[in-house]
Amino acid sequence: MHKKLFIPGPTEVAPEVLAKLATPMIGHRSKDASKMQKEISEKLQKVMYTENPILLSTSSGSGLMEGSIRSLTAKRAVVFSVGAFGNRWYKMAEVNNIPADKHEAKWGEPTTPEIVDQYLSTGKYDVFTITHNETSTGIMNPLAEIAEVRKKYPDVMWLVDSVSALSGAKVEVDKLGIDVCITSTQKALALPPGMAICSISRKALEHGKQVKHRGWYLDLLEIYKYIETKDHQYHATPSLPHMFALNFQLDRILAEGLDNRFARHKEMAEFTRAWAKKHFALFPVEKYASQTLTTITNTRNINVANLNSELAKVGLQISNGYGDLKEKTFRIAHMGELTLKDVKEVTAAIESILKL
Ligand SMILES: *Cc1c(COP(=O)(O)O)cnc(C)c1O
């Protein structure tokens, strides 16, 4: 039996989107491939509120996290971490021999504009990274407030991991001034895993030229070069099945209407938070609680793994806590194709299993 996924990726994929993965192949150097890349880019520019070029990478979201910090750090990067995915970004810098510092907030708390200001004002950095939506703790960072502070440091490249939020929450890339905004297919965009997506500013494309060793497969400048000079193609064979499905899914997303889509996510988040507070407690500071998933503190000391086994019997699946937060928290994702009705179904099932 298929289990309906309330996990923060992979998420539910609509059957008609899944079917697009089985589209007969075309050559990746064909005019049709170029046309498809252009269409996908134009649609993603709408979803991301940007005029910046869009890059696709056949990797999961981590690919472009690693690619961006490696391609763009000429001097030193500072990684603002609020949990597991921020820590991953710092690790990527370390293992690539990229000079970097990390500021890690207490888990459950956001990155504040004050702390960003404090680090950037030292003048030591040419790159800083922010996790928009931390999937371990359920924190959604205040991008607009961070953008205000960042205006003082326009030459420091701003990289944002919006992997688990984009299209479920509004990210106005150009208005915020984000240089690289990363997402991937298997979260709120509701496609199978396998492709990462980012926007990249002209400023970042220039800045990266100073970096000598950018790698090749995940070098953002190399990827862009092919788009610019080879009529919207890729330096290596991209996952064409994902591109067929993504092109189609973006039509569905734009047909729903972006504001409607964000409102649907907000509605699910508000319901889930209220439910969590009634029966358990919220893990993140409520003001910064995510719009795409809710991390819940296991105040009743339930066995989360057992709960999930019981949920499986009725065709549902939630997520245990991430890493050290396993069993101490659990997570209900409400993103992508899910609706309030689905969230009500899973919370009711939990109430019935736990006899709440
Ligand atoms: C899922 C996710 C990623 C990417 O993880 P992959 O394992 O590469 O799919 C990055 N950042 C956040 C916040 C995520 O939720």
Side-chain angles (χ1 to χ4, degrees), residues 80-319:
F80 293 98
S81 172
V82 293
F85 287 96
N87 288 348
R88 183 183 288 186
W89 225 343
Y90 179 67
K91 167 108 193 174
M92 289 166 172
E94 270 189 309
V95 298
N96 277 290
N97 206 21
I98 296 163
D101 295 315
K102 178 174 78 167
H103 176 273
E104 187 171 350
K106 186 165 168 259
W107 282 34
E109 291 181 9
T111 301
T112 62
E114 291 76 24
I115 199 77
V116 173
D117 198 11
Q118 221 179 81
Y119 274 80
L120 298 192
S121 67
T122 62
K124 276 164 67 178
Y125 305 103
D126 65 338
V127 165
F128 76 109
T129 78
I130 296 286
T131 309
H132 176 209
N133 191 67
E134 178 50 68
T135 315
S136 56
T137 61
I139 277 280
M140 190 167 261
N141 269 317
L143 291 185
E145 292 170 32
I146 294 168
E148 272 310 302
V149 162
R150 187 283 172 100
K151 283 185 184 155
K152 293 199 269 177
Y153 313 101
D155 298 333
V156 184
M157 297 298 118
W158 183 11
L159 318 185
V160 172
D161 166 1
S162 189
V163 172
S164 62
L166 205 111
S167 90
K170 194 173 195 171
V171 184
E172 293 177 284
V173 167
D174 286 356
K175 197 166 152 196
L176 294 166
I178 299 169
D179 290 294
V180 178
C181 185
I182 302 165
T183 192
S184 71
T185 47
Q186 86 274 25
K187 308 273 169 92
L189 284 171
L191 291 147
M195 197 161 245
I197 296 160
C198 75
S199 66
I200 183 162
S201 69
R202 302 282 164 194
K203 202 166 57 171
L205 287 166
E206 267 313 302
H207 184 88
K209 289 180 183 165
Q210 307 165 60
V211 182
K212 254 198 186 149
H213 298 291
R214 299 187 300 262
W216 186 80
Y217 190 68
L218 296 169
D219 172 12
L220 271 47
L221 276 64
E222 181 74 16
I223 299 174
Y224 179 67
K225 192 175 87 187
Y226 273 72
I227 288 175
E228 193 188 24
T229 65
K230 306 271 186 208
D231 190 24
H232 287 256
Q233 298 196 347
Y234 283 91
H235 62 330
T237 321
S239 174
L240 294 159
H242 280 89
M243 290 175 73
F244 291 127
L246 176 59
N247 202 12
F248 179 72
Q249 173 67 343
L250 287 166
D251 286 337
R252 291 178 77 244
I253 289 173
L254 294 170
E256 178 181 10
L258 291 173
D259 287 333
N260 293 337
R261 190 174 178 86
F262 304 142
R264 174 165 61 79
H265 282 79
K266 184 161 179 269
E267 184 181 45
M268 291 191 286
E270 283 169 355
F271 178 87
T272 312
R273 281 204 282 278
W275 180 87
K277 287 198 294 180
K278 182 170 171 207
H279 298 288
F280 293 89
L282 275 182
F283 181 76
V285 178
E286 183 163 6
K287 185 173 173 218
Y288 301 100
S290 166
Q291 191 163 300
T292 53
L293 89 150
T294 300
T295 302
I296 300 165
T297 306
N298 183 6
T299 48
R300 291 172 182 261
N301 217 5
I302 60 161
N303 184 317
V304 177
N306 283 351
L307 170 62
N308 237 343
S309 309
E310 291 303 311
L311 284 170
K313 293 178 189 164
V314 291
L316 302 168
Q317 186 181 343
I318 61 166
S319 225

